[in-house]
Amino acid sequence: MTESFVRYVKYAEFVAQFGFFSTIIFCFIFIFLTLFGVKRNFGSYKNLLILFSAVGIVFATIELILYPNGYSHNAGFIFYSASRPFNMSKEAVSSLLAFYTGVYASTISMLSVQFVYRYWAIFE
């Protein structure tokens, strides 16, 4: 019994598009409120929050352009793209995927820094 997975690909593309637009809207609101609405001086943590939102916007934009797929095996991930946006060459798509994984890694790293900062702020 074979079934076409085109339907699932369309669902994944819709989720990526919804994620892009919601990220753009909410991150710009968050950046605006952080820059102009916060009266307390948070210092470098305020910069970290703004950077985290900006990297999220970049991440969502690259995801909308590439529609990357991920494969997880044991402790490794493989990201690939079945499409070639803007008629890019394979090398350009591979470079953009490498940039995508770098942005993903920086997002995870900043998230861990935020947790450590909050832990220190509460318990120290």
mmCIF file of all heavy atoms in Angstrom, residues 73-121:
data_model
loop_
_atom_site.group_PDB
_atom_site.id
_atom_site.type_symbol
_atom_site.label_atom_id
_atom_site.label_comp_id
_atom_site.label_asym_id
_atom_site.label_seq_id
_atom_site.Cartn_x
_atom_site.Cartn_y
_atom_site.Cartn_z
ATOM 1 N N HIS A 73 19.546 10.371 13.541
ATOM 2 C CA HIS A 73 19.981 8.992 13.745
ATOM 3 C C HIS A 73 20.981 8.983 14.884
ATOM 4 O O HIS A 73 22.021 9.633 14.809
ATOM 5 C CB HIS A 73 20.603 8.420 12.473
ATOM 6 C CG HIS A 73 21.037 6.999 12.611
ATOM 7 N ND1 HIS A 73 20.130 5.968 12.709
ATOM 8 C CD2 HIS A 73 22.262 6.442 12.700
ATOM 9 C CE1 HIS A 73 20.790 4.831 12.826
ATOM 10 N NE2 HIS A 73 22.090 5.098 12.822
ATOM 11 N N ASN A 74 20.643 8.243 15.940
ATOM 12 C CA ASN A 74 21.452 8.191 17.163
ATOM 13 C C ASN A 74 21.708 9.602 17.671
ATOM 14 O O ASN A 74 20.799 10.277 18.084
ATOM 15 C CB ASN A 74 22.740 7.414 16.945
ATOM 16 C CG ASN A 74 22.472 5.935 16.720
ATOM 17 O OD1 ASN A 74 21.423 5.423 17.111
ATOM 18 N ND2 ASN A 74 23.402 5.255 16.094
ATOM 19 N N ALA A 75 22.943 10.072 17.634
ATOM 20 C CA ALA A 75 23.265 11.392 18.175
ATOM 21 C C ALA A 75 23.512 12.418 17.078
ATOM 22 O O ALA A 75 24.010 13.506 17.348
ATOM 23 C CB ALA A 75 24.490 11.297 19.069
ATOM 24 N N GLY A 76 23.179 12.110 15.834
ATOM 25 C CA GLY A 76 23.473 13.025 14.735
ATOM 26 C C GLY A 76 22.231 13.477 13.999
ATOM 27 O O GLY A 76 21.200 12.801 13.990
ATOM 28 N N PHE A 77 22.340 14.648 13.423
ATOM 29 C CA PHE A 77 21.271 15.204 12.601
ATOM 30 C C PHE A 77 21.794 15.442 11.197
ATOM 31 O O PHE A 77 22.942 15.854 11.010
ATOM 32 C CB PHE A 77 20.783 16.549 13.152
ATOM 33 C CG PHE A 77 19.946 16.443 14.380
ATOM 34 C CD1 PHE A 77 20.497 16.651 15.627
ATOM 35 C CD2 PHE A 77 18.595 16.149 14.282
ATOM 36 C CE1 PHE A 77 19.728 16.563 16.758
ATOM 37 C CE2 PHE A 77 17.814 16.060 15.416
ATOM 38 C CZ PHE A 77 18.384 16.266 16.652
ATOM 39 N N ILE A 78 20.949 15.200 10.214
ATOM 40 C CA ILE A 78 21.258 15.528 8.830
ATOM 41 C C ILE A 78 20.134 16.427 8.335
ATOM 42 O O ILE A 78 18.957 16.064 8.404
ATOM 43 C CB ILE A 78 21.358 14.275 7.946
ATOM 44 C CG1 ILE A 78 22.503 13.389 8.397
ATOM 45 C CG2 ILE A 78 21.525 14.665 6.487
ATOM 46 C CD1 ILE A 78 22.571 12.071 7.673
ATOM 47 N N PHE A 79 20.503 17.605 7.880
ATOM 48 C CA PHE A 79 19.531 18.516 7.289
ATOM 49 C C PHE A 79 19.720 18.502 5.781
ATOM 50 O O PHE A 79 20.847 18.559 5.291
ATOM 51 C CB PHE A 79 19.723 19.943 7.818
ATOM 52 C CG PHE A 79 19.330 20.116 9.245
ATOM 53 C CD1 PHE A 79 20.280 20.254 10.234
ATOM 54 C CD2 PHE A 79 17.991 20.145 9.609
ATOM 55 C CE1 PHE A 79 19.922 20.419 11.557
ATOM 56 C CE2 PHE A 79 17.622 20.305 10.928
ATOM 57 C CZ PHE A 79 18.587 20.438 11.902
ATOM 58 N N TYR A 80 18.611 18.425 5.075
ATOM 59 C CA TYR A 80 18.667 18.454 3.615
ATOM 60 C C TYR A 80 17.449 19.200 3.093
ATOM 61 O O TYR A 80 16.464 19.375 3.792
ATOM 62 C CB TYR A 80 18.731 17.034 3.040
ATOM 63 C CG TYR A 80 17.513 16.198 3.325
ATOM 64 C CD1 TYR A 80 16.473 16.125 2.400
ATOM 65 C CD2 TYR A 80 17.399 15.491 4.514
ATOM 66 C CE1 TYR A 80 15.347 15.367 2.667
ATOM 67 C CE2 TYR A 80 16.282 14.731 4.783
ATOM 68 C CZ TYR A 80 15.261 14.674 3.860
ATOM 69 O OH TYR A 80 14.145 13.919 4.121
ATOM 70 N N SER A 81 17.570 19.650 1.877
ATOM 71 C CA SER A 81 16.469 20.358 1.245
ATOM 72 C C SER A 81 16.156 19.678 -0.079
ATOM 73 O O SER A 81 17.053 19.421 -0.879
ATOM 74 C CB SER A 81 16.834 21.822 1.004
ATOM 75 O OG SER A 81 15.767 22.495 0.399
ATOM 76 N N ALA A 82 14.889 19.393 -0.286
ATOM 77 C CA ALA A 82 14.471 18.743 -1.520
ATOM 78 C C ALA A 82 14.202 19.760 -2.625
ATOM 79 O O ALA A 82 13.971 19.382 -3.768
ATOM 80 C CB ALA A 82 13.228 17.895 -1.277
ATOM 81 N N SER A 83 14.236 21.037 -2.294
ATOM 82 C CA SER A 83 13.957 22.062 -3.287
ATOM 83 C C SER A 83 15.192 22.927 -3.518
ATOM 84 O O SER A 83 16.120 22.934 -2.723
ATOM 85 C CB SER A 83 12.794 22.939 -2.829
ATOM 86 O OG SER A 83 13.152 23.640 -1.663
ATOM 87 N N ARG A 84 15.170 23.629 -4.606
ATOM 88 C CA ARG A 84 16.227 24.593 -4.926
ATOM 89 C C ARG A 84 15.573 25.950 -5.135
ATOM 90 O O ARG A 84 15.166 26.288 -6.248
ATOM 91 C CB ARG A 84 16.979 24.184 -6.186
ATOM 92 C CG ARG A 84 17.855 22.993 -5.972
ATOM 93 C CD ARG A 84 18.886 22.948 -7.049
ATOM 94 N NE ARG A 84 19.592 21.693 -6.966
ATOM 95 C CZ ARG A 84 20.262 21.172 -7.936
ATOM 96 N NH1 ARG A 84 20.314 21.794 -9.095
ATOM 97 N NH2 ARG A 84 20.900 20.049 -7.792
ATOM 98 N N PRO A 85 15.485 26.736 -4.068
ATOM 99 C CA PRO A 85 14.826 28.033 -4.205
ATOM 100 C C PRO A 85 15.643 28.989 -5.066
ATOM 101 O O PRO A 85 16.878 28.960 -5.047
ATOM 102 C CB PRO A 85 14.732 28.533 -2.762
ATOM 103 C CG PRO A 85 15.789 27.786 -2.036
ATOM 104 C CD PRO A 85 15.952 26.484 -2.732
ATOM 105 N N PHE A 86 14.957 29.805 -5.812
ATOM 106 C CA PHE A 86 15.567 30.814 -6.682
ATOM 107 C C PHE A 86 16.561 30.203 -7.676
ATOM 108 O O PHE A 86 17.525 30.837 -8.077
ATOM 109 C CB PHE A 86 16.277 31.895 -5.855
ATOM 110 C CG PHE A 86 15.424 32.490 -4.782
ATOM 111 C CD1 PHE A 86 15.773 32.355 -3.453
ATOM 112 C CD2 PHE A 86 14.257 33.166 -5.096
ATOM 113 C CE1 PHE A 86 14.991 32.889 -2.450
ATOM 114 C CE2 PHE A 86 13.469 33.708 -4.094
ATOM 115 C CZ PHE A 86 13.837 33.574 -2.773
ATOM 116 N N ASN A 87 16.351 28.941 -8.049
ATOM 117 C CA ASN A 87 17.229 28.212 -8.977
ATOM 118 C C ASN A 87 18.690 28.236 -8.530
ATOM 119 O O ASN A 87 19.599 28.378 -9.332
ATOM 120 C CB ASN A 87 17.098 28.767 -10.400
ATOM 121 C CG ASN A 87 15.749 28.469 -10.990
ATOM 122 O OD1 ASN A 87 15.184 27.405 -10.740
ATOM 123 N ND2 ASN A 87 15.215 29.398 -11.765
ATOM 124 N N MET A 88 18.914 28.093 -7.238
ATOM 125 C CA MET A 88 20.279 28.062 -6.700
ATOM 126 C C MET A 88 20.969 26.764 -7.088
ATOM 127 O O MET A 88 20.329 25.747 -7.318
ATOM 128 C CB MET A 88 20.250 28.148 -5.172
ATOM 129 C CG MET A 88 19.882 29.459 -4.606
ATOM 130 S SD MET A 88 20.250 29.387 -2.848
ATOM 131 C CE MET A 88 18.951 30.361 -2.198
ATOM 132 N N SER A 89 22.275 26.826 -7.109
ATOM 133 C CA SER A 89 23.042 25.613 -7.360
ATOM 134 C C SER A 89 23.061 24.747 -6.100
ATOM 135 O O SER A 89 22.672 25.180 -5.019
ATOM 136 C CB SER A 89 24.475 25.980 -7.761
ATOM 137 O OG SER A 89 25.125 26.617 -6.679
ATOM 138 N N LYS A 90 23.532 23.513 -6.243
ATOM 139 C CA LYS A 90 23.628 22.622 -5.085
ATOM 140 C C LYS A 90 24.559 23.188 -4.030
ATOM 141 O O LYS A 90 24.312 23.069 -2.832
ATOM 142 C CB LYS A 90 24.153 21.251 -5.521
ATOM 143 C CG LYS A 90 23.149 20.367 -6.154
ATOM 144 C CD LYS A 90 23.776 19.008 -6.416
ATOM 145 C CE LYS A 90 22.811 18.090 -7.089
ATOM 146 N NZ LYS A 90 23.388 16.769 -7.345
ATOM 147 N N GLU A 91 25.652 23.806 -4.481
ATOM 148 C CA GLU A 91 26.623 24.369 -3.542
ATOM 149 C C GLU A 91 26.024 25.524 -2.744
ATOM 150 O O GLU A 91 26.276 25.668 -1.544
ATOM 151 C CB GLU A 91 27.876 24.842 -4.281
ATOM 152 C CG GLU A 91 28.707 23.727 -4.890
ATOM 153 C CD GLU A 91 28.135 23.198 -6.192
ATOM 154 O OE1 GLU A 91 27.317 23.905 -6.833
ATOM 155 O OE2 GLU A 91 28.486 22.064 -6.567
ATOM 156 N N ALA A 92 25.217 26.344 -3.404
ATOM 157 C CA ALA A 92 24.583 27.462 -2.708
ATOM 158 C C ALA A 92 23.566 26.967 -1.688
ATOM 159 O O ALA A 92 23.499 27.488 -0.568
ATOM 160 C CB ALA A 92 23.916 28.404 -3.710
ATOM 161 N N VAL A 93 22.797 25.953 -2.052
ATOM 162 C CA VAL A 93 21.835 25.381 -1.117
ATOM 163 C C VAL A 93 22.569 24.727 0.052
ATOM 164 O O VAL A 93 22.170 24.868 1.217
ATOM 165 C CB VAL A 93 20.906 24.373 -1.828
ATOM 166 C CG1 VAL A 93 20.038 23.619 -0.835
ATOM 167 C CG2 VAL A 93 20.031 25.080 -2.841
ATOM 168 N N SER A 94 23.675 24.052 -0.233
ATOM 169 C CA SER A 94 24.463 23.433 0.836
ATOM 170 C C SER A 94 25.044 24.491 1.768
ATOM 171 O O SER A 94 25.060 24.313 2.989
ATOM 172 C CB SER A 94 25.596 22.582 0.253
ATOM 173 O OG SER A 94 25.077 21.516 -0.478
ATOM 174 N N SER A 95 25.503 25.594 1.218
ATOM 175 C CA SER A 95 26.032 26.676 2.049
ATOM 176 C C SER A 95 24.931 27.291 2.908
ATOM 177 O O SER A 95 25.147 27.593 4.087
ATOM 178 C CB SER A 95 26.661 27.760 1.180
ATOM 179 O OG SER A 95 27.738 27.250 0.450
ATOM 180 N N LEU A 96 23.759 27.471 2.324
ATOM 181 C CA LEU A 96 22.639 28.017 3.087
ATOM 182 C C LEU A 96 22.186 27.045 4.176
ATOM 183 O O LEU A 96 21.811 27.471 5.274
ATOM 184 C CB LEU A 96 21.494 28.358 2.140
ATOM 185 C CG LEU A 96 20.511 29.414 2.589
ATOM 186 C CD1 LEU A 96 21.214 30.707 2.974
ATOM 187 C CD2 LEU A 96 19.522 29.708 1.492
ATOM 188 N N LEU A 97 22.253 25.749 3.894
ATOM 189 C CA LEU A 97 21.927 24.764 4.926
ATOM 190 C C LEU A 97 22.962 24.772 6.052
ATOM 191 O O LEU A 97 22.621 24.593 7.221
ATOM 192 C CB LEU A 97 21.834 23.365 4.315
ATOM 193 C CG LEU A 97 20.513 23.012 3.672
ATOM 194 C CD1 LEU A 97 20.615 21.690 2.925
ATOM 195 C CD2 LEU A 97 19.409 22.942 4.702
ATOM 196 N N ALA A 98 24.230 24.966 5.699
ATOM 197 C CA ALA A 98 25.261 25.078 6.731
ATOM 198 C C ALA A 98 25.024 26.312 7.590
ATOM 199 O O ALA A 98 25.174 26.270 8.825
ATOM 200 C CB ALA A 98 26.641 25.131 6.088
ATOM 201 N N PHE A 99 24.638 27.420 6.966
ATOM 202 C CA PHE A 99 24.304 28.625 7.716
ATOM 203 C C PHE A 99 23.079 28.386 8.590
ATOM 204 O O PHE A 99 23.024 28.841 9.738
ATOM 205 C CB PHE A 99 24.073 29.787 6.749
ATOM 206 C CG PHE A 99 23.798 31.092 7.411
ATOM 207 C CD1 PHE A 99 24.778 31.737 8.152
ATOM 208 C CD2 PHE A 99 22.552 31.686 7.302
ATOM 209 C CE1 PHE A 99 24.518 32.947 8.774
ATOM 210 C CE2 PHE A 99 22.284 32.892 7.916
ATOM 211 C CZ PHE A 99 23.270 33.526 8.661
ATOM 212 N N TYR A 100 22.102 27.652 8.077
ATOM 213 C CA TYR A 100 20.894 27.303 8.833
ATOM 214 C C TYR A 100 21.253 26.518 10.094
ATOM 215 O O TYR A 100 20.736 26.797 11.173
ATOM 216 C CB TYR A 100 19.962 26.491 7.933
ATOM 217 C CG TYR A 100 18.737 25.928 8.612
ATOM 218 C CD1 TYR A 100 17.616 26.709 8.823
ATOM 219 C CD2 TYR A 100 18.702 24.604 9.026
ATOM 220 C CE1 TYR A 100 16.491 26.196 9.425
ATOM 221 C CE2 TYR A 100 17.584 24.080 9.639
ATOM 222 C CZ TYR A 100 16.480 24.879 9.836
ATOM 223 O OH TYR A 100 15.378 24.363 10.444
ATOM 224 N N THR A 101 22.131 25.532 9.965
ATOM 225 C CA THR A 101 22.525 24.750 11.138
ATOM 226 C C THR A 101 23.308 25.603 12.129
ATOM 227 O O THR A 101 23.187 25.407 13.342
ATOM 228 C CB THR A 101 23.349 23.514 10.739
ATOM 229 O OG1 THR A 101 24.484 23.923 9.992
ATOM 230 C CG2 THR A 101 22.524 22.550 9.924
ATOM 231 N N GLY A 102 24.099 26.554 11.637
ATOM 232 C CA GLY A 102 24.813 27.463 12.533
ATOM 233 C C GLY A 102 23.860 28.357 13.304
ATOM 234 O O GLY A 102 24.038 28.591 14.506
ATOM 235 N N VAL A 103 22.830 28.854 12.629
ATOM 236 C CA VAL A 103 21.834 29.686 13.294
ATOM 237 C C VAL A 103 21.043 28.850 14.305
ATOM 238 O O VAL A 103 20.743 29.304 15.412
ATOM 239 C CB VAL A 103 20.898 30.355 12.263
ATOM 240 C CG1 VAL A 103 19.733 31.054 12.938
ATOM 241 C CG2 VAL A 103 21.674 31.333 11.413
ATOM 242 N N TYR A 104 20.756 27.611 13.953
ATOM 243 C CA TYR A 104 20.067 26.703 14.874
ATOM 244 C C TYR A 104 20.921 26.469 16.123
ATOM 245 O O TYR A 104 20.421 26.535 17.250
ATOM 246 C CB TYR A 104 19.775 25.377 14.162
ATOM 247 C CG TYR A 104 19.116 24.341 15.027
ATOM 248 C CD1 TYR A 104 17.761 24.412 15.306
ATOM 249 C CD2 TYR A 104 19.848 23.283 15.552
ATOM 250 C CE1 TYR A 104 17.150 23.459 16.094
ATOM 251 C CE2 TYR A 104 19.248 22.329 16.348
ATOM 252 C CZ TYR A 104 17.903 22.416 16.617
ATOM 253 O OH TYR A 104 17.301 21.471 17.401
ATOM 254 N N ALA A 105 22.206 26.220 15.925
ATOM 255 C CA ALA A 105 23.102 25.988 17.056
ATOM 256 C C ALA A 105 23.232 27.229 17.930
ATOM 257 O O ALA A 105 23.261 27.129 19.169
ATOM 258 C CB ALA A 105 24.480 25.546 16.552
ATOM 259 N N SER A 106 23.299 28.399 17.317
ATOM 260 C CA SER A 106 23.395 29.622 18.120
ATOM 261 C C SER A 106 22.108 29.881 18.896
ATOM 262 O O SER A 106 22.146 30.382 20.022
ATOM 263 C CB SER A 106 23.745 30.814 17.235
ATOM 264 O OG SER A 106 22.692 31.119 16.364
ATOM 265 N N THR A 107 20.965 29.518 18.331
ATOM 266 C CA THR A 107 19.698 29.660 19.041
ATOM 267 C C THR A 107 19.671 28.767 20.279
ATOM 268 O O THR A 107 19.292 29.208 21.367
ATOM 269 C CB THR A 107 18.524 29.311 18.112
ATOM 270 O OG1 THR A 107 18.566 30.149 16.969
ATOM 271 C CG2 THR A 107 17.200 29.485 18.809
ATOM 272 N N ILE A 108 20.087 27.534 20.123
ATOM 273 C CA ILE A 108 20.117 26.606 21.258
ATOM 274 C C ILE A 108 21.117 27.085 22.306
ATOM 275 O O ILE A 108 20.868 27.014 23.513
ATOM 276 C CB ILE A 108 20.445 25.180 20.776
ATOM 277 C CG1 ILE A 108 19.375 24.674 19.803
ATOM 278 C CG2 ILE A 108 20.591 24.225 21.952
ATOM 279 C CD1 ILE A 108 17.984 24.616 20.373
ATOM 280 N N SER A 109 22.252 27.601 21.866
ATOM 281 C CA SER A 109 23.260 28.101 22.802
ATOM 282 C C SER A 109 22.746 29.301 23.588
ATOM 283 O O SER A 109 22.946 29.391 24.810
ATOM 284 C CB SER A 109 24.531 28.491 22.052
ATOM 285 O OG SER A 109 25.078 27.379 21.405
ATOM 286 N N MET A 110 22.096 30.234 22.906
ATOM 287 C CA MET A 110 21.552 31.395 23.609
ATOM 288 C C MET A 110 20.437 30.998 24.568
ATOM 289 O O MET A 110 20.286 31.610 25.632
ATOM 290 C CB MET A 110 21.052 32.436 22.607
ATOM 291 C CG MET A 110 22.157 33.229 21.976
ATOM 292 S SD MET A 110 21.557 34.612 21.013
ATOM 293 C CE MET A 110 20.833 33.783 19.626
ATOM 294 N N LEU A 111 19.684 29.978 24.214
ATOM 295 C CA LEU A 111 18.640 29.502 25.109
ATOM 296 C C LEU A 111 19.242 28.940 26.399
ATOM 297 O O LEU A 111 18.748 29.217 27.496
ATOM 298 C CB LEU A 111 17.805 28.434 24.399
ATOM 299 C CG LEU A 111 16.485 28.051 25.008
ATOM 300 C CD1 LEU A 111 15.563 29.252 25.075
ATOM 301 C CD2 LEU A 111 15.848 26.946 24.203
ATOM 302 N N SER A 112 20.335 28.208 26.275
ATOM 303 C CA SER A 112 20.982 27.677 27.481
ATOM 304 C C SER A 112 21.596 28.801 28.317
ATOM 305 O O SER A 112 21.560 28.751 29.553
ATOM 306 C CB SER A 112 22.036 26.640 27.105
ATOM 307 O OG SER A 112 23.079 27.235 26.370
ATOM 308 N N VAL A 113 22.143 29.820 27.683
ATOM 309 C CA VAL A 113 22.678 30.966 28.423
ATOM 310 C C VAL A 113 21.563 31.679 29.174
ATOM 311 O O VAL A 113 21.747 32.099 30.326
ATOM 312 C CB VAL A 113 23.426 31.925 27.471
ATOM 313 C CG1 VAL A 113 23.736 33.241 28.147
ATOM 314 C CG2 VAL A 113 24.698 31.282 26.957
ATOM 315 N N GLN A 114 20.396 31.801 28.563
ATOM 316 C CA GLN A 114 19.266 32.436 29.241
ATOM 317 C C GLN A 114 18.843 31.642 30.479
ATOM 318 O O GLN A 114 18.549 32.219 31.529
ATOM 319 C CB GLN A 114 18.079 32.580 28.292
ATOM 320 C CG GLN A 114 18.212 33.714 27.337
ATOM 321 C CD GLN A 114 16.955 33.896 26.503
ATOM 322 O OE1 GLN A 114 15.964 33.205 26.669
ATOM 323 N NE2 GLN A 114 17.004 34.847 25.588
ATOM 324 N N PHE A 115 18.835 30.322 30.369
ATOM 325 C CA PHE A 115 18.464 29.514 31.522
ATOM 326 C C PHE A 115 19.470 29.657 32.652
ATOM 327 O O PHE A 115 19.093 29.759 33.828
ATOM 328 C CB PHE A 115 18.300 28.044 31.131
ATOM 329 C CG PHE A 115 17.000 27.737 30.459
ATOM 330 C CD1 PHE A 115 16.983 27.064 29.262
ATOM 331 C CD2 PHE A 115 15.792 28.128 31.014
ATOM 332 C CE1 PHE A 115 15.786 26.780 28.628
ATOM 333 C CE2 PHE A 115 14.584 27.850 30.394
ATOM 334 C CZ PHE A 115 14.587 27.175 29.201
ATOM 335 N N VAL A 116 20.742 29.670 32.325
ATOM 336 C CA VAL A 116 21.778 29.840 33.356
ATOM 337 C C VAL A 116 21.650 31.220 33.999
ATOM 338 O O VAL A 116 21.738 31.356 35.223
ATOM 339 C CB VAL A 116 23.185 29.629 32.749
ATOM 340 C CG1 VAL A 116 24.275 30.061 33.707
ATOM 341 C CG2 VAL A 116 23.372 28.179 32.351
ATOM 342 N N TYR A 117 21.429 32.250 33.198
ATOM 343 C CA TYR A 117 21.279 33.601 33.731
ATOM 344 C C TYR A 117 20.082 33.681 34.681
ATOM 345 O O TYR A 117 20.167 34.269 35.760
ATOM 346 C CB TYR A 117 21.118 34.610 32.587
ATOM 347 C CG TYR A 117 20.980 36.029 33.066
ATOM 348 C CD1 TYR A 117 22.102 36.802 33.317
ATOM 349 C CD2 TYR A 117 19.730 36.586 33.287
ATOM 350 C CE1 TYR A 117 21.981 38.110 33.771
ATOM 351 C CE2 TYR A 117 19.595 37.884 33.742
ATOM 352 C CZ TYR A 117 20.724 38.642 33.979
ATOM 353 O OH TYR A 117 20.614 39.912 34.437
ATOM 354 N N ARG A 118 18.974 33.091 34.282
ATOM 355 C CA ARG A 118 17.787 33.130 35.130
ATOM 356 C C ARG A 118 17.999 32.339 36.418
ATOM 357 O O ARG A 118 17.513 32.722 37.479
ATOM 358 C CB ARG A 118 16.577 32.595 34.368
ATOM 359 C CG ARG A 118 16.119 33.536 33.294
ATOM 360 C CD ARG A 118 14.984 32.963 32.510
ATOM 361 N NE ARG A 118 14.617 33.852 31.421
ATOM 362 C CZ ARG A 118 13.684 33.591 30.545
ATOM 363 N NH1 ARG A 118 13.008 32.453 30.624
ATOM 364 N NH2 ARG A 118 13.406 34.432 29.585
ATOM 365 N N TYR A 119 18.704 31.219 36.318
ATOM 366 C CA TYR A 119 19.010 30.435 37.512
ATOM 367 C C TYR A 119 19.836 31.264 38.485
ATOM 368 O O TYR A 119 19.553 31.315 39.687
ATOM 369 C CB TYR A 119 19.752 29.165 37.126
ATOM 370 C CG TYR A 119 20.173 28.340 38.314
ATOM 371 C CD1 TYR A 119 19.265 27.510 38.981
ATOM 372 C CD2 TYR A 119 21.480 28.405 38.795
ATOM 373 C CE1 TYR A 119 19.652 26.771 40.081
ATOM 374 C CE2 TYR A 119 21.869 27.671 39.891
ATOM 375 C CZ TYR A 119 20.943 26.862 40.522
ATOM 376 O OH TYR A 119 21.335 26.133 41.612
ATOM 377 N N TRP A 120 20.876 31.918 37.985
ATOM 378 C CA TRP A 120 21.712 32.756 38.843
ATOM 379 C C TRP A 120 20.932 33.937 39.411
ATOM 380 O O TRP A 120 21.151 34.362 40.541
ATOM 381 C CB TRP A 120 22.934 33.257 38.092
ATOM 382 C CG TRP A 120 23.987 32.224 37.887
ATOM 383 C CD1 TRP A 120 24.141 31.059 38.566
ATOM 384 C CD2 TRP A 120 25.043 32.262 36.932
ATOM 385 N NE1 TRP A 120 25.210 30.374 38.081
ATOM 386 C CE2 TRP A 120 25.789 31.086 37.076
ATOM 387 C CE3 TRP A 120 25.401 33.177 35.952
ATOM 388 C CZ2 TRP A 120 26.905 30.811 36.297
ATOM 389 C CZ3 TRP A 120 26.517 32.900 35.181
ATOM 390 C CH2 TRP A 120 27.259 31.731 35.352
ATOM 391 N N ALA A 121 20.033 34.511 38.613
ATOM 392 C CA ALA A 121 19.250 35.660 39.080
ATOM 393 C C ALA A 121 18.290 35.247 40.197
ATOM 394 O O ALA A 121 18.036 36.040 41.110
ATOM 395 C CB ALA A 121 18.473 36.262 37.920
#
